[in-house]
Amino acid sequence: MLKQSEIDRYYMARALKLASRGLYTTYPNPAVGCIFVRQGRIIGAGWHHKAGQPHAEIMAIANAGGDVKGATAYVTLEPCSHFGRTPPCALRLVHEQVARVVVAAGDPNPKVSGRGIEILRQAGIEVTEHVLEKEAWFLNRAFMKSIAGSTPFVTLKVAMGIDCGTALEDGQSKWITDERSRHDVQKLRAQCDAVITSLATVIADDPRYSVRYDELPRSARMKVGRHELRQPLKVIIDSRNLLLSAYASKLEELKIFSADHALLCCASSCDDLSEKKLNDHTDAVFFPKDALDKDGHLNLNKVLEYLGSRQIRHVLVEAGPRLADAFLKQDLVDELLIYEAPKFLGKTSRRVFALESPKILDNAVSMEVYKVRKLSHDLKIHLLSHDLASKLKAFEERK
Ligand code: AOF
Ligand code: ZN
């Protein structure tokens, strides 16, 4: 005989699988799944597809033919309590007379934040919380961080050989990692709202940083249609405003400016932030002088706050060592993904990072290992900031 807690984890794992189907399409909403179980049988299942469309609970009620009376609802996120684009799910669950609701993670949206659970309990519905909370929180980590704060979740991604070279001396870097790794990056980009890079990388490599449907792994193509794919906003850090002066002609030539929306982050000598439309898909934002450090570099936290104000939830940093180092040094990286190929690029190769060495080891920038996986020939090393790792540990300890 299985214990109730094991049964709860089983159905929640299935609800989480359903939730993940929305990962490419629900922005700015989280990806949520819901399953109704009555007398040991799944009677309805659903997931949130797109903002403005019904939430997971409502999809699952419809899938159950409208009758979920007396059932247990497994929901990966606390049911909402507010009128947003759609009415509150918590009230609907009460109205449908469900017997019990099992919730994985709370919804940190200030409009919800515990009120969904409260509505259910006040109506006499039994609520069990924190079932697979860590997994549910991690699935929506970008939503979870950004809805409750002012900055997006930051993923830094790098590709390197086994001796930490990221390009040969002359800049050759195509390709260090194999196709499987590059397709994995496509999947990551397809889930992000913005890619941040530096002017130096854009000039040196002329990257597109776009998502190509045909290069997505099959697992991703099963969850998103060709025409549903979102292209991340391309954010270019140009603290010296070179793309508006010396390199102005490049705005027409560089691939990154050719089709998708791009945002140039520039500096101004004024006290206020200003914005300017450069053409129908490229904008520039001029950060005030207090957003520059003593060397004239843009304060990256200010850039993140600005992106947060534009409802960007998840940014992917794809850049050379200088920008990558700056994000690391300023403690702005939530997770670091390293794609490591089993190749030696040699001692004259360009380093993937070039941080100053600390005087003592205790002061070294450090992170925690989350997962290490072998993709075809390469390793995918997934590291987390200490903050994020301890948050996850706290979820584990609550179990
Ligand atoms: C749920 N179930 O499946 C999702 C929820 O504008 P709306 O009406 O779509 O509401 C968006 C907010 O609802 C979102 O910010 C988050 O707090 C919550 N998402 N809630 O009960 C769902 N996707
Ligand atoms: Zn809802």
Side-chain angles (χ1 to χ4, degrees):
M1 202 43 189
L2 285 175
K3 284 199 285 199
Q4 188 59 48
S5 59
E6 288 167 336
I7 296 172
D8 286 351
R9 279 206 296 277
Y10 169 78
Y11 286 120
M12 193 58 85
R14 292 190 59 159
L16 276 168
K17 256 219 158 89
L18 279 178
S20 76
R21 298 180 71 154
L23 274 178
Y24 302 91
T25 52
T26 60
Y27 169 86
N29 281 355
V32 182
C34 176
I35 285 180
F36 285 98
V37 176
R38 194 163 52 199
Q39 287 158 358
R41 268 189 52 231
I42 294 182
I43 56 167
W47 75 94
H48 183 49
H49 292 219
K50 251 191 176 139
Q53 292 181 11
H55 286 179
E57 299 86 326
I58 313 305
M59 297 295 285
I61 293 170
N63 182 251
D67 171 23
V68 292
K69 195 172 169 181
T72 295
Y74 289 89
V75 204
T76 60
L77 185 75
E78 171 184 1
C80 65
S81 54
H82 68 299
F83 284 87
R85 280 165 281 238
T86 66
C89 294
L91 288 180
R92 180 67 187 274
L93 292 173
V94 172
H95 177 79
E96 298 295 338
Q97 300 178 1
V98 300
R100 182 173 171 242
V101 178
V102 183
V103 176
D107 183 351
N109 183 345
K111 293 180 185 145
V112 183
S113 186
R115 280 180 214 98
I117 306 273
E118 209 176 288
I119 289 175
L120 298 170
R121 288 213 167 109
Q122 267 170 11
I125 296 174
E126 182 190 343
V127 180
T128 305
E129 297 177 77
H130 316 305
V131 174
L132 299 189
E133 184 175 26
K134 180 179 120 180
E135 290 77 0
W137 197 95
F138 200 73
L139 183 78
N140 281 310
R141 55 199 181 281
F143 172 83
M144 297 298 201
K145 178 183 177 192
S146 62
I147 194 90
S150 58
T151 54
F153 187 92
V154 178
T155 300
L156 169 62
K157 169 249 145 186
V158 298
M160 64 180 203
I162 208 156
D163 52 351
C164 299
T166 194
L168 295 183
E169 208 174 354
D170 63 359
Q172 274 183 72
S173 61
K174 291 191 167 93
W175 298 106
I176 298 167
T177 53
D178 69 9
E179 201 173 52
R180 175 73 183 79
S181 297
R182 299 198 311 271
H183 289 186
D184 204 68
V185 173
Q186 283 285 315
K187 185 168 106 178
L188 181 66
R189 269 187 208 158
Q191 293 179 18
C192 288
D193 313 324
V195 171
I196 302 189
T197 191
S198 64
L199 175 72
T201 299
V202 167
I203 299 287
D205 299 348
D206 194 14
R208 281 178 288 175
Y209 292 137
S210 56
V211 185
R212 274 93 60 183
Y213 191 79
D214 296 319
E215 293 175 31
L216 283 174
R218 212 176 87 86
S219 61
R221 278 186 276 122
M222 283 170 68
K223 290 177 183 164
V224 60
R226 192 179 287 274
H227 303 293
E228 291 176 312
L229 213 56
R230 290 190 310 128
Q231 290 295 339
L233 171 74
K234 318 298 188 289
V235 180
I236 299 100
I237 310 277
D238 180 11
S239 303
R240 289 190 290 151
N241 301 6
L242 291 175
L243 276 167
L244 298 174
S245 52
Y247 291 143
S249 63
K250 301 262 187 201
L251 268 179
E252 304 294 319
E253 296 163 17
L254 293 165
K255 292 196 188 104
I256 203 162
F257 297 110
S258 65
D260 305 329
H261 279 108
L263 175 73
L264 274 187
C265 293
C266 303
S268 108
S269 49
C270 302
D271 292 328
D272 299 312
L273 184 144
S274 60
E275 294 162 315
K276 188 176 169 193
K277 204 165 191 45
L278 299 179
N279 60 42
D280 64 347
H281 55 263
T282 310
D283 296 320
V285 51
F286 297 88
F287 286 89
K289 52 179 192 278
D290 70 358
L292 292 178
D293 68 15
K294 61 175 181 4
D295 303 318
H297 295 127
L298 281 176
N299 176 322
L300 295 172
N301 200 41
K302 294 265 196 265
V303 173
L304 291 175
E305 279 174 1
Y306 175 78
L307 295 175
S309 74
R310 288 183 53 156
Q311 224 183 16
I312 298 287
R313 300 204 181 286
H314 195 168
V315 305
L316 176 61
V317 181
E318 295 203 51
R322 233 176 296 159
L323 194 61
D325 287 357
F327 270 94
L328 279 172
K329 242 185 354 214
Q330 292 169 41
D331 201 16
L332 297 173
V333 177
D334 293 298
E335 67 180 1
L336 169 59
L337 283 171
I338 303 175
Y339 292 86
E340 182 179 322
K343 294 174 188 159
F344 293 86
L345 269 60
K347 66 177 178 189
T348 58
S349 64
R350 299 186 186 177
R351 308 284 79 198
V352 68
F353 299 114
L355 286 166
E356 291 292 332
S357 293
K359 293 238 163 26
I360 53 167
L361 275 174
D362 281 350
N363 291 346
V365 172
S366 69
M367 301 189 78
E368 296 202 25
V369 177
Y370 176 64
K371 261 186 197 157
V372 179
R373 226 179 107 196
K374 181 172 183 280
L375 300 177
S376 182
H377 300 95
D378 303 334
L379 280 186
K380 177 182 177 182
I381 304 171
H382 194 158
L383 307 177
L384 304 181
S385 69
H386 292 293
D387 270 2
L388 185 54
S390 48
K391 197 168 185 75
L392 296 185
K393 201 177 281 158
F395 291 143
E396 281 281 289
E397 281 160 7
R398 188 141 70 182
K399 273 202 303 206

